[in-house]
Amino acid sequence: MREEHLDYVVVPLGLAIMGAYHVWLFVTILRCPSRTVIGINAQSRRQWVFSLMAVQYPLLQGKNQIVPCSGGGPESYSSLSSQHDPLKNGVLAVQTIRNNIMAATLLATTAITLSSLISVFVSSTSKSSSTPLLYGNKTSLVSSIKYFSILLCFLVAFLCNVQSIRYYAHASFLVTLPTSMGKRDSIEYVIRNLDRGSKFWSLGLRAFYLSFPLFLWIFGPIPMLVCCCITTFILYFLDTTTSFTRQLHSHSIKDEPQAEETGPVSMSV
């Protein structure tokens, strides 16, 4: 095969390997989420939101409200109040979500900075400079496609992280809303916002992962293919769980409180 045509075969092959792996990961998340780290994290977030928001006193029990399984005596009310302090839960929720916002902000800032640097570099370069390290197509068109692909990758990472910050910031208000405490519909809405923020965070990370093979494509299609294979191999071990992890996670997850569908129930003390 001629050197000029090597990019047209090797580069799509490397992208196809990473694409096939992510298709398999997407199907696995839908069918068996416990086999993936993304699925287990989603279950943990769901349990975390329920533990913070599914708090109502038995005397306030009503339709579409979630109540804890506890006794009806006055001593149970005082112990319940001490274990589920709304102020402490609100501070914990805001601090936890704030950590995710800071991480997403850091990645978004890094992505837009790298995009700006690549744009300045491409605009200041009049023509591609061929080096002995480059084995492949050395035309200016392919060189422009390389830099444009890296730039597009970082822009996608920036947009995904910005959307992640948006959903996390919105969830930080909802999780501390007093009128939403104990209502299943409100809790499910908070969970959906947290899940969307986490999904955009994952997409932003995938864009960063994809930038490594695209960066090595500058030095030729063969390093790019090798990097795609290595990255896919590493991501498989980072995205999947072992039987020990699944068993440990199953013991740490408790059953969700059930919504009360009946009317108010009076309790005798």
Side-chain angles (χ1 to χ4, degrees):
M1 182 181 297
R2 298 179 58 182
E3 181 181 354
E4 293 80 7
H5 298 161
L6 194 62
D7 292 73
Y8 302 118
V9 177
V10 178
V11 173
L13 179 61
L15 296 178
I17 292 174
M18 294 194 68
Y21 165 74
H22 283 90
V23 170
W24 171 84
L25 180 64
F26 179 74
V27 174
T28 306
I29 292 174
L30 294 180
R31 294 184 176 180
C32 188
S34 60
R35 291 186 55 189
T36 63
V37 176
I38 296 177
I40 285 185
N41 290 340
Q43 296 174 3
S44 300
R45 285 191 303 271
R46 183 180 184 88
Q47 182 70 18
W48 178 72
V49 174
F50 266 98
S51 66
L52 292 177
M53 300 185 65
V55 178
Q56 287 289 331
Y57 297 110
L59 291 178
L60 299 179
Q61 176 179 341
K63 185 177 180 181
N64 205 23
Q65 292 182 345
I66 301 173
V67 296
C69 298
S70 59
E75 64 279 357
S76 64
Y77 298 162
S78 60
S79 63
L80 182 63
S81 176
S82 61
Q83 293 177 1
H84 301 283
D85 188 356
L87 180 60
K88 293 182 180 179
N89 288 343
V91 173
L92 174 63
V94 171
Q95 287 180 347
T96 304
I97 298 177
R98 183 190 62 182
N99 295 334
N100 291 289
I101 293 176
M102 293 176 62
T105 303
L106 176 61
L107 289 182
T109 305
T110 304
I112 198 63
T113 303
L114 292 175
S115 300
S116 302
L117 293 176
I118 292 174
S119 301
V120 171
F121 177 78
V122 172
S123 61
S124 62
T125 305
S126 58
K127 57 182 179 179
S128 61
S129 56
S130 60
T131 61
L133 297 177
L134 176 60
Y135 182 80
N137 199 318
K138 300 182 177 64
T139 60
S140 59
L141 176 61
V142 175
S143 179
S144 300
I145 294 175
K146 294 177 183 178
Y147 290 114
F148 177 76
S149 300
I150 301 174
L151 177 62
L152 181 63
C153 196
F154 285 130
L155 289 177
V156 171
F158 170 75
L159 294 177
C160 289
N161 283 283
V162 167
Q163 291 298 317
S164 177
I165 295 172
R166 169 197 171 196
Y167 281 109
Y168 281 143
H170 187 46
S172 65
F173 286 99
L174 296 175
V175 76
T176 56
L177 194 62
T179 57
S180 300
M181 296 297 178
K183 299 181 179 179
R184 177 171 291 274
D185 294 338
S186 300
I187 295 176
E188 292 290 346
Y189 181 66
V190 175
I191 293 173
R192 285 197 300 269
N193 279 271
L194 280 177
D195 283 339
R196 289 172 182 173
S198 178
K199 289 175 182 177
F200 277 110
W201 160 266
S202 298
L203 290 176
L205 279 181
R206 302 293 156 168
F208 272 101
Y209 295 152
L210 182 60
S211 65
F212 287 100
L214 295 178
F215 177 77
L216 289 181
W217 187 20
I218 298 176
F219 302 98
I222 296 179
M224 187 264 188
L225 177 62
V226 174
C227 186
C228 286
C229 297
I230 295 176
T231 303
T232 303
F233 181 77
I234 295 176
L235 286 178
Y236 175 79
F237 287 99
L238 293 178
D239 293 331
T240 56
T241 59
T242 60
S243 58
F244 174 77
T245 305
R246 291 191 293 269
Q247 184 179 5
L248 184 64
H249 178 75
S250 63
H251 290 300
S252 63
I253 294 297
K254 301 178 181 179
D255 294 334
E256 297 175 359
Q258 299 296 324
E260 183 67 28
E261 298 297 339
T262 59
V265 178
S266 60
M267 300 186 64
S268 59
V269 180

